[in-house]
Amino acid sequence: MKRIVILISGRGSNMEAIVRARAAEQWPAEIAAVISNRPDAAGLAFAQSHGIATAVVDHKAFGPGQPGREAFDAELQRVIDGFAPDLVVLAGFMRILTPGFTVHYAERMLNIHPSLLPAFTGLHTHKRAIEMGCKFSGATVHFVTAELDHGAIVAQAVVPVQPGDDEASLSARVLKLEHRMYPSAVRWFVEGQLAIENGVVRQLAGEAQSFS
């Protein structure tokens, strides 16, 4: 039985999708905890209502700059490891993590990013895609490394950019696919169906790693 810890900063809609999918599909895993860097994160109440342990490591309690980031990450790592996870899942966790933290969870921490990586790392991805005239946008599930929004790609969801799209409308369509894709990627991990070979992730059961 694999143990999963999910990190959120707000509502955590992808966290909700993972919790529901795990229960419906009876994965060989449990959600050991949901942890937030914000005490007012709405997703904490959802987790508690589903009997999941929660914790808060408030980033505002740590100083600014690199010393503060490292102290925050050290405390976050301590709290996470208290739940003995096999997998850490970032679900709208809005903090840039230090290299030491990412190395500690190498090849056992997943993130979802709202673009077709390696395009449009960082913020405002859908707005930038529209402004650049992209015909497609989407989202990517990847293993987390020290380099922001990089790491071996597990799955991607592709959405056409429609005439008249704005950031909100495109984001909403992509989010629907995220809620299908991210639970699938997490399930693959806990079922031992992912292999990384030369930086490329293969789904060992032959399930499609693209969603549309």
Side-chain angles (χ1 to χ4, degrees), residues 81-159:
D81 286 352
F83 293 100
D86 299 285
L87 176 66
V88 176
V89 176
L90 309 184
F93 187 67
M94 303 303 290
R95 300 291 298 173
I96 296 175
L97 299 167
T98 55
F101 185 93
T102 61
V103 167
H104 181 71
Y105 297 107
E107 296 188 2
R108 56 190 183 109
M109 181 160 57
L110 293 174
N111 181 48
I112 190 162
H113 181 74
S115 81
L116 295 174
L117 294 175
F120 302 120
T121 61
L123 301 174
H124 307 297
T125 56
H126 300 308
K127 180 175 183 290
R128 290 155 61 198
I130 292 169
E131 290 174 347
M132 289 295 293
C134 294
K135 308 311 175 191
F136 292 90
S137 187
T140 303
V141 177
H142 64 97
F143 283 99
V144 178
T145 64
E147 188 173 359
L148 181 65
D149 297 330
H150 284 71
I153 292 172
V154 176
Q156 290 188 307
V158 180
V159 172

Side-chain angles (χ1 to χ4, degrees), residues 22-44:
R22 188 218 63 82
E25 299 168 7
Q26 293 296 293
W27 304 347
E30 64 175 316
I31 311 298
V34 171
I35 301 173
S36 178
N37 64 305
R38 296 180 180 274
D40 59 349
L44 294 172

